[in-house]
Amino acid sequence: MIFLRLVLAASVAGLSAFGCDEDEDGGIFSSSDSAQLYFHNQLTQVGGGSEDDVIVDLFVDDQTTALESGVAYTTRGSVGANSLELDDDSESIAFDARGISSGSTLVSGPINRTLTGGNRYSVVLMGDTTLDNRQLKTFSHQKMDVGSGQIRVRFINTLSRLSGDELSITASGGAPGGQALVSGLEYADGSSYVSLSAGGSLAVTINNETQGVIIDDVNCSVSSGRSYDAIIAYTEFDSDDDQISLYCQPF
């Protein structure tokens, strides 16, 4: 039987109580028999829908109690972690996301994902309630030392209303056109990690590579020596296609 524990990332005392320690760069070390999950709800509804339609409960396996309840559209980078204890070193976990107003599943699922003890994952719900492109994806954080003055970044594309197009990402400023970071990034996919010099902000230009147009310049706050999942998302659940933001989850 899987035992669930909510871990508040901002509370060192709470983490210690659950047997988790803070690492040198402020992230969380999970024990070898548990996985850390960071849930981002980027489910949208275009056309003047109600925000209630995109508020969700996240379930795992056959639990009758939600791992996270009443999660509204995520408009920040750093979210708290949930610690999920596993029966083995790795285990297949069934995820389900259900609308809080309807109680019905929002993804074709449940979605089975294999989690490994000691690893950390971004769990991202995306898609539009009016389109048949809803996805729930898990992105495992790759552990690697990050040098002082550097950051490592992986970009995740949640722009569901551009699901037929590919994105490219360039660093803002510098040489004309900016330094190319990522190309061919499809909807619901994550890029490879790229290493960059760290300032106080990660500033990039998001391009619609398929249509050959710039979507927007976006940025998020970063700190030297950290890894990030940079989630490319609509600014709000009912934003237009060109109203996007960059939400950076630190590890």
Side-chain angles (χ1 to χ4, degrees):
M1 186 73 173
I2 295 175
F3 174 66
L4 303 179
R5 299 172 299 187
L6 178 64
V7 178
L8 299 179
S11 171
V12 175
L15 292 175
S16 299
F18 286 117
C20 295
D21 297 318
E22 190 174 15
D23 64 22
E24 292 180 355
D25 63 12
I28 299 172
F29 282 134
S30 59
S31 62
S32 60
D33 61 352
S34 66
Q36 300 289 331
L37 308 181
Y38 300 79
F39 180 54
H40 290 256
N41 173 16
Q42 309 302 162
L43 186 69
T44 61
Q45 179 161 286
V46 69
S50 167
E51 187 173 6
D52 290 344
D53 295 332
V54 300
I55 298 176
V56 303
D57 293 335
L58 179 69
F59 290 85
V60 296
D61 280 353
D62 59 354
Q63 299 296 313
T64 56
T65 301
L67 178 64
E68 291 215 36
S69 299
V71 182
Y73 187 80
T74 305
T75 57
R76 64 191 186 280
S78 181
V79 300
N82 290 281
S83 182
L84 180 64
E85 287 199 0
L86 307 178
D87 292 334
D88 299 301
D89 291 340
S90 63
E91 185 176 347
S92 179
I93 302 295
F95 290 88
D96 193 14
R98 304 175 194 170
I100 193 170
S101 58
S102 66
S104 59
T105 184
L106 295 168
V107 292
S108 179
I111 306 296
N112 293 298
R113 295 286 184 265
T114 298
L115 306 184
T116 300
N119 281 7
R120 295 176 286 186
Y121 299 85
S122 289
V123 180
V124 186
L125 176 66
M126 66 193 87
D128 195 276
T129 61
T130 65
L131 301 173
D132 188 25
N133 63 3
R134 294 185 294 276
Q135 302 268 354
L136 193 149
K137 290 290 190 76
T138 59
F139 300 90
S140 177
H141 172 244
Q142 296 180 6
K143 301 174 184 177
M144 184 178 294
D145 290 336
V146 182
S148 177
Q150 297 284 311
I151 58 171
R152 290 173 69 243
V153 182
R154 169 175 55 191
F155 294 92
I156 298 172
N157 175 10
T158 72
L159 301 185
S160 57
R161 298 198 293 278
L162 300 175
S163 59
D165 296 348
E166 295 180 344
L167 304 183
S168 65
I169 302 161
T170 55
S172 298
Q179 175 190 355
L181 302 177
V182 172
S183 64
L185 183 59
E186 298 180 345
Y187 165 65
D189 280 351
S191 71
S192 299
Y193 283 96
V194 295
S195 295
L196 297 168
S197 297
S201 176
L202 170 64
V204 296
T205 301
I206 308 298
N207 311 282
N208 186 322
E209 189 174 20
T210 301
Q211 298 185 26
V213 297
I214 293 174
I215 300 176
D216 204 357
D217 294 315
V218 294
N219 65 82
C220 64
S221 298
V222 294
S223 298
S224 172
R226 302 292 298 269
S227 291
Y228 293 87
D229 274 344
I231 300 172
I232 305 165
Y234 297 106
T235 301
E236 300 285 350
F237 81 99
D238 56 355
S239 294
D240 293 333
D241 288 350
D242 59 352
Q243 294 175 323
I244 67 171
S245 294
L246 194 66
Y247 300 125
C248 290
Q249 173 66 55
F251 289 101

